[in-house]
Amino acid sequence: MSEQPKFKVTIDNITVEVPAGTTILNAARMIGGDVTPPAMCYYSKLEGSGGKCRTCLVEVSKGSEKDPRPMPKLVASCRTTVMDGMEVKNITSEKVLDARKGVVEFLLMNHPLDCPVCDQAGECHLQDLSYEHGAATTRYEFDRRTFEKEDLGDYISLHMTRCILCYRCVYTAEQLTNQREHGVLDRGDHASISTLLGKSLDNEFIGNVIDVCPVGALTDKTFRFKNRVWFTKPVDAHRDCPTCSGKVRLWMRGDEVFRVTARKDQWGEVEEWICNDCRFHKKETKDWVIEGPSKISRHSVISQGHYVGVKKAPVLIDKVIGKDPKLLMDIHSISDVNRPEVELSKIAGPAHSDDFKNE
Amino acid sequence: MKLLLEHAHVEGIRYYDTYRKHGGYRSVEKAFKMTPEEIVEEVKKSGLRGRGGAGFPTGMKWSFLAKPEGVPRHLVCNADESEPGTFKDRYLMEFIPHLLIEGLIVSSFALGSNMTYIYIRGEYAWIVDILEQAIAEAKNNGWLGKNILNSGFDCEIYVQRGGGAYICGEETALIESLEGKRGNPRIKPPFPAIQGVWMRPTVVNNVETLAAVVPIINNGGEAYASIGVGKSTGTKLLSVCGNVKKPGIYEIDMTQSVEEFIFSDEYCGGIPNGKRLKACIPGGSSVPILPANLLLKTAKGETRTMSYESLSDGGFASGSMMGSGGFIVFDEDQCVVRHTMTLARFYNHESCGQCSPCREGTGWMYKILKNIEYGKGKMSDIDLLWDIQRKIEGNTICPLGDAAAWPVAAAIRHFRDEFEWHITNADEAQNRNYGLAHYADPIHVPAGA
Ligand SMILES: Cc1cc2nc3c(=O)[nH]c(=O)nc-3n(C[C@H](O)[C@H](O)[C@H](O)COP(=O)(O)O)c2cc1C
Ligand code: SF4
Ligand code: SF4
Ligand code: FES
């Protein structure tokens, strides 16, 4: 077997060696931490995904050792492969940060921001994205876009107003099932996820579209409004399933299984696809062999301040511009229950009631 | 100077016999005595630039075509022509369809395409019939089909109707649509020259580009290159509309000054009703609009001519582009705000919706422009518009995002006072236009070039 050539790529002044053919995004994921561009549409397990949302734009300041010219435009890091000697700027580029702010604004512009009644809240990538890269206010002063309601059947609920048209669910249905029944209808800002003639989605693996959806556009009807995800406890479990690997994550409260999902990695991607039977029908503890609490590594409220396994770039601090966590709004001003003397940005991770109890 | 439209008005030129009598299909006879490489070489020598909008050198594009062993290659003719203000391909196909077919045969031979497609705008329904008849005639006379002129080369041309979307003119969206899929532009790379139709190496060229191959082969690349000026070789078709006395199709050698082109009787014949020239979009709706002063003279004070180089002189700060050759003229009665709103509506409607900046930004710009036009604008809207277009431009998958951003940028850059007047005089603006203002005054160079 011939040795795979390795390319050196430098992202925000940190150099890694990656196999030829690796994308900038995946190289950045190897470094981890803040230099990893956010990705709302790319999904490593879905062929052809990526390139659409434009949140992962980066600046290529040097094309390669051979051809050092910079690339004229920002490029989608998820769809651009590295060249040997390439130099990339992500959070060290003002241009990138500015463009990304724009993209976040575009994504949020027509978003209903109905997080209080959205089942995805707490594990929503759009929430994370806007928290990390967005502005606190919107400049959009028009009515937000609405859609006719469409019923996808008994298991999957579609809220088109929340959709960011990442196409992940389309690729999932295309690549996981033998008959894709939904797709994108119409174009431009009236494009929508839809089935032709109101068919319901019916395939034993179609439930996976819920897991790939970065927002609350596709959610689990069997879990609908049953609980907030941060009140449930993720537990890894498995069963002997004739259809899929049976390796799942149970979302429990006490002894009750509220929801079953696939296990996700630190980038929020499904590790192994699971079947509808495991997802929608096995809601009893006795259906499962419990392995233990899941390690949640995303910056989400689910882990309630206990981040496990987040890879921090070792040499990041002195090399890239530091980013203090930004607060979207000062909650002191709207609630006098809180204690204004506590400096919220100094609390590591999401604020916990303990942080306010004693000084 | 006429190369393409020389015989366009001969009675019956649409039919094979007449076309052949006027020298038709000579280039095929000549080409089949050459090697494909020699044809590509002639096209390179001719300096021909793509007439679809981007102006990319055609010979160079052809030489990029990958030629892996045993994999078919395709030539696709882009006849989707949907850019507002552009209707030159329609004219060519309607009046002298055999010229395109002839160019397609020569080009297919040069590129090794045994299956060549014409992807035509769906609304040009009647032209499909014209083309199919021309193809049938060409085939009956041995110019298409198996073993053309005993060369051993087979070629078929198929006409595919477009799905009714502007975006299907973008070459990768066109390819998707041709394959029977939703017309979403592909993410590049890979480029069509490597993986195009059915993942096979593909060249996509505009109708006019492929028609120009005929005179290039007939007269030689050098003879073609001697026409025109600088890197603007040969002749260019312009479709003129708006406030001119003689709108229509003009074939020019790109040496005329813009002033001559608009005002001389040989071309557009000037502005009707004694009105004065206010502005012009020289190359189809996507390229920057220029006020009269910057249109007729460059920022350096030189006379602007109708060539690729001169039209883009000054970059976007004070120039525009040849684009697709859709020449739109505005007289003093036209309202730039209203016009910009109309274009914003078009791009909003035509965005495929794949990437967030274009999908969301085009609609936002349209809504703001609508507010300004209908007297509900705020002064801060102008800067907001500027910021939105800036965040779309360069950040999208395909150039439609840029094409949506540029007209807004140029309108604000050159006509900001008209926008401001619309906002501060909201009521008055509902009843009258801003007028000519200083746009025709002796050149003033905008700040921040
Ligand atoms: C949104 C969009 C629409 C386009 N529409 C057309 C069109 O209708 N006709 C055309 O020839 N080129 C069109 N183009 C340009 C094509 O992508 C492509 O560059 C051209 O067909 C190449 O041909 P050429 O090299 O002969 O110019 C369009 C590009 C974009 C981005
Ligand atoms: S429904 Fe979800 S997964 Fe599907 S395109 Fe919309 S946001 Fe993406
Ligand atoms: S720029 Fe617009 S038209 Fe082009 S791919 Fe993106 S959304 Fe589609
Ligand atoms: S993740 Fe790269 S464009 Fe969406």
Side-chain angles (χ1 to χ4, degrees):
Chain A
M1 215 176 79
S2 68
E3 185 80 355
Q4 173 94 324
K6 291 255 183 186
F7 284 171
K8 264 204 179 79
V9 52
T10 305
I11 305 171
D12 285 341
N13 300 324
I14 302 168
T15 306
V16 273
E17 248 192 15
V18 297
T22 307
T23 58
I24 298 174
L25 179 71
N26 281 331
R29 284 184 173 183
M30 289 178 197
I31 301 172
D34 282 354
V35 304
T36 313
M40 296 296 287
C41 68
Y42 170 76
Y43 211 76
S44 67
K45 277 125 200 132
L46 296 172
E47 204 187 318
S49 68
K52 299 189 196 300
C53 70
R54 316 307 281 178
T55 54
C56 72
L57 289 176
V58 293
E59 182 182 341
V60 176
S61 48
K62 179 180 167 190
S64 69
E65 209 51 69
K66 263 197 228 134
D67 182 1
R69 284 176 304 171
M71 292 191 181
K73 292 190 206 172
L74 302 182
V75 298
S77 59
C78 65
R79 292 292 296 254
T80 310
T81 48
V82 299
M83 290 293 169
D84 199 25
M86 184 184 261
E87 284 173 21
V88 177
K89 288 177 166 179
N90 178 24
I91 57 174
T92 49
S93 160
E94 284 302 321
K95 247 167 93 185
V96 168
L97 295 180
D98 184 52
R100 190 166 293 152
K101 233 193 168 113
V103 173
V104 177
E105 185 173 34
F106 288 135
L107 285 176
L108 286 174
M109 220 174 86
N110 272 303
H111 193 81
L113 293 176
D114 55 348
C115 312
V117 294
C118 175
D119 278 331
Q120 188 86 359
E123 54 179 18
C124 173
H125 289 221
L126 190 56
Q127 282 184 326
D128 295 348
L129 183 77
S130 32
Y131 184 77
E132 283 162 32
H133 303 278
T137 52
T138 178
R139 299 181 292 173
Y140 187 69
E141 295 177 336
F142 302 90
D143 287 347
R144 283 162 202 252
R145 184 166 58 222
T146 53
F147 294 88
E148 299 249 322
K149 221 171 150 38
E150 192 171 331
D151 188 4
L152 298 185
D154 295 339
Y155 298 118
I156 301 167
S157 148
L158 170 66
H159 281 270
M160 192 50 218
T161 47
R162 299 174 187 155
C163 172
I164 60 159
L165 283 172
C166 70
Y167 281 66
R168 281 180 185 174
C169 60
V170 180
Y171 291 116
T172 305
E174 182 93 25
Q175 290 165 32
L176 237 53
T177 74
N178 40 22
Q179 174 104 52
R180 174 161 67 83
E181 291 156 321
H182 79 289
V184 177
L185 230 63
D186 295 326
R187 64 171 183 248
D189 56 9
H190 41 280
S192 68
I193 293 291
S194 181
T195 59
L196 194 59
L197 308 175
K199 258 181 128 171
S200 54
L201 297 190
D202 182 22
N203 178 284
E204 59 189 0
F205 278 95
I206 198 67
N208 287 295
V209 297
I210 298 169
D211 281 342
V212 300
C213 185
V215 293
L218 296 170
T219 49
D220 183 342
K221 265 194 188 166
T222 66
F223 175 64
R224 200 162 153 75
F225 301 146
K226 292 240 165 74
N227 225 310
R228 305 290 354 196
V229 292
W230 58 87
F231 293 140
T232 60
K233 217 175 140 71
V235 172
D236 285 356
H238 66 264
R239 68 183 269 266
D240 203 5
C241 174
T243 319
C244 68
S245 72
K247 289 186 190 152
V248 302
R249 186 157 288 162
L250 305 178
W251 298 79
M252 307 185 59
R253 207 166 169 180
D255 279 343
E256 210 178 328
V257 176
F258 273 85
R259 182 172 70 141
V260 183
T261 67
R263 296 182 193 174
K264 291 187 183 177
D265 64 16
Q266 64 163 323
W267 310 112
E269 290 189 13
V270 164
E271 285 170 2
E272 279 177 88
W273 307 110
I274 62 167
C275 70
N276 285 7
D277 203 32
C278 285
R279 184 187 302 271
F280 299 124
H281 300 297
K282 302 294 173 206
K283 297 284 182 90
E284 308 267 340
T285 328
K286 67 173 175 10
D287 294 328
W288 299 98
V289 182
I290 308 271
E291 294 169 19
S294 310
K295 288 186 171 42
I296 300 286
S297 48
R298 281 192 53 77
H299 319 241
S300 95
V301 292
I302 298 165
S303 54
Q304 304 225 19
H306 306 294
Y307 298 136
V308 192
V310 176
K311 234 162 99 192
K312 276 278 174 212
V315 279
L316 195 66
I317 313 304
D318 49 331
K319 286 197 171 170
V320 302
I321 332 162
K323 274 202 312 168
D324 269 339
K326 280 172 287 159
L327 281 164
L328 289 182
M329 61 169 101
D330 182 358
I331 60 168
H332 297 317
S333 60
I334 52 167
S335 160
D336 48 19
V337 179
N338 290 312
R339 304 210 352 226
E341 64 274 17
V342 179
E343 169 60 271
L344 289 176
S345 14
K346 292 289 173 280
I347 301 170
H352 191 274
S353 57
D354 285 348
D355 291 319
F356 298 92
K357 272 190 192 130
N358 38 40
E359 213 105 341
Chain B
M1 182 74 215
K2 283 199 172 132
L3 284 178
L4 303 179
L5 301 183
E6 194 184 350
H7 303 298
H9 294 193
V10 172
E11 169 119 24
I13 196 77
R14 190 186 280 177
Y15 304 104
Y16 176 78
D17 292 338
T18 318
Y19 181 73
R20 177 77 175 139
K21 232 178 269 156
H22 286 85
Y25 291 96
R26 264 191 305 135
S27 74
V28 182
E29 291 170 314
K30 194 165 168 194
F32 278 75
K33 292 189 191 113
M34 300 161 72
T35 64
E37 292 72 31
E38 283 166 352
I39 302 174
V40 175
E41 206 43 49
E42 282 311 309
V43 174
K44 267 192 189 162
K45 268 192 237 156
S46 74
L48 174 65
R49 297 169 67 163
R51 307 296 197 217
F56 193 81
T58 306
M60 206 191 300
K61 188 181 210 169
W62 286 12
S63 60
F64 290 156
L65 184 69
K67 295 185 176 148
E69 203 53 47
V71 182
R73 305 185 282 275
H74 295 287
L75 169 65
V76 179
C77 170
N78 188 343
D80 195 53
E81 193 167 61
S82 318
E83 173 113 339
T86 311
F87 44 94
K88 63 186 178 69
D89 297 340
R90 162 184 170 172
Y91 190 89
L92 200 147
M93 292 186 288
E94 205 174 343
F95 284 86
I96 185 160
H98 279 285
L99 185 69
L100 174 61
I101 306 302
E102 183 177 350
L104 279 172
I105 297 168
V106 173
S107 308
S108 300
F109 178 62
L111 298 167
S113 163
N114 305 112
M115 241 184 272
T116 293
Y117 299 91
I118 302 174
Y119 185 93
I120 186 165
R121 175 180 177 157
E123 290 88 339
Y124 285 174
W126 73 100
I127 303 181
V128 175
D129 298 339
I130 296 175
L131 289 174
E132 283 185 336
Q133 185 182 356
I135 291 168
E137 283 182 328
K139 200 168 170 178
N140 288 340
N141 288 281
W143 303 104
L144 276 172
K146 292 240 172 292
N147 192 16
I148 303 166
L149 302 184
N150 289 320
S151 63
F153 180 72
D154 307 336
C155 184
E156 295 289 348
I157 299 176
Y158 299 100
V159 184
Q160 172 68 42
R161 279 187 198 198
Y166 169 62
I167 192 58
C168 290
E170 195 279 337
E171 55 186 8
T172 57
L174 183 153
I175 288 171
E176 286 281 297
S177 175
L178 187 62
E179 291 180 6
K181 302 187 200 139
R182 182 186 163 84
N184 275 2
R186 289 181 182 168
I187 293 144
K188 289 176 262 188
F191 289 91
I194 314 292
Q195 289 184 342
V197 191
W198 298 296
M199 293 302 156
R200 297 164 178 175
T202 302
V203 165
V204 181
N205 271 134
N206 173 256
V207 170
E208 187 190 343
T209 312
L210 292 164
V213 171
V214 174
I216 289 171
I217 295 306
N218 276 337
N219 312 333
E222 268 158 31
Y224 187 87
S226 68
I227 303 164
V229 50
K231 286 191 173 142
S232 307
T233 61
T235 61
K236 174 87 190 82
L237 296 185
L238 294 188
S239 56
V240 181
C241 64
N243 306 115
V244 291
K245 284 195 185 138
K246 298 194 294 170
I249 306 290
Y250 294 93
E251 181 171 8
I252 59 167
D253 63 7
M254 300 181 265
T255 56
Q256 301 73 359
S257 69
V258 177
E259 189 164 1
E260 182 189 355
F261 185 69
I262 295 179
F263 291 100
S264 87
D265 283 336
E266 194 181 338
Y267 303 106
C268 306
I271 317 288
N273 310 321
K275 300 284 180 185
R276 285 170 302 168
L277 173 69
K278 176 174 179 177
C280 172
I281 302 175
S285 64
S286 305
V287 311
I289 184 172
L290 287 179
N293 49 8
L294 279 174
L295 175 73
L296 303 180
K297 282 204 165 62
T298 67
K300 288 177 247 153
E302 290 162 3
T303 302
R304 207 186 280 281
T305 62
M306 295 294 293
S307 67
Y308 283 89
E309 293 95 324
S310 185
L311 285 174
S312 58
D313 187 289
F316 279 6
S318 62
S320 185
M321 275 167 81
M322 172 71 90
S324 61
F327 198 85
I328 310 170
V329 181
F330 298 78
D331 72 13
E332 59 192 286
D333 287 346
Q334 306 309 314
C335 170
V336 171
V337 175
R338 186 170 186 82
H339 148 76
T340 311
M341 176 194 80
T342 311
L343 285 187
R345 181 175 59 204
F346 172 79
Y347 290 107
N348 177 216
H349 185 67
E350 298 297 339
S351 162
C352 83
Q354 256 191 116
C355 48
S356 355
C358 171
R359 176 183 66 238
E360 306 293 344
T362 51
W364 193 2
M365 292 196 300
Y366 169 49
K367 290 193 177 94
I368 295 172
L369 283 161
K370 202 158 71 172
N371 268 358
I372 300 177
E373 165 67 10
Y374 292 110
K376 288 180 282 183
K378 297 194 295 285
M379 219 38 137
S380 59
D381 283 345
I382 303 176
D383 289 333
L384 182 55
L385 272 176
W386 182 267
D387 196 51
I388 299 170
Q389 68 79 21
R390 195 175 63 81
K391 286 189 165 130
I392 299 173
E393 197 219 327
N395 293 336
T396 56
I397 295 175
C398 88
L400 189 139
D402 303 339
W406 293 340
V408 176
I412 296 177
R413 186 183 285 122
H414 301 301
F415 300 88
R416 192 179 178 110
D417 43 356
E418 187 159 344
F419 282 83
E420 288 175 357
W421 178 82
H422 255 262
I423 291 162
T424 47
N425 303 282
D427 292 333
E428 197 184 346
Q430 300 308 301
N431 302 316
R432 78 166 182 95
N433 283 327
Y434 188 56
L436 192 60
H438 56 81
Y439 303 133
D441 291 353
I443 223 84
H444 89 283
V445 183

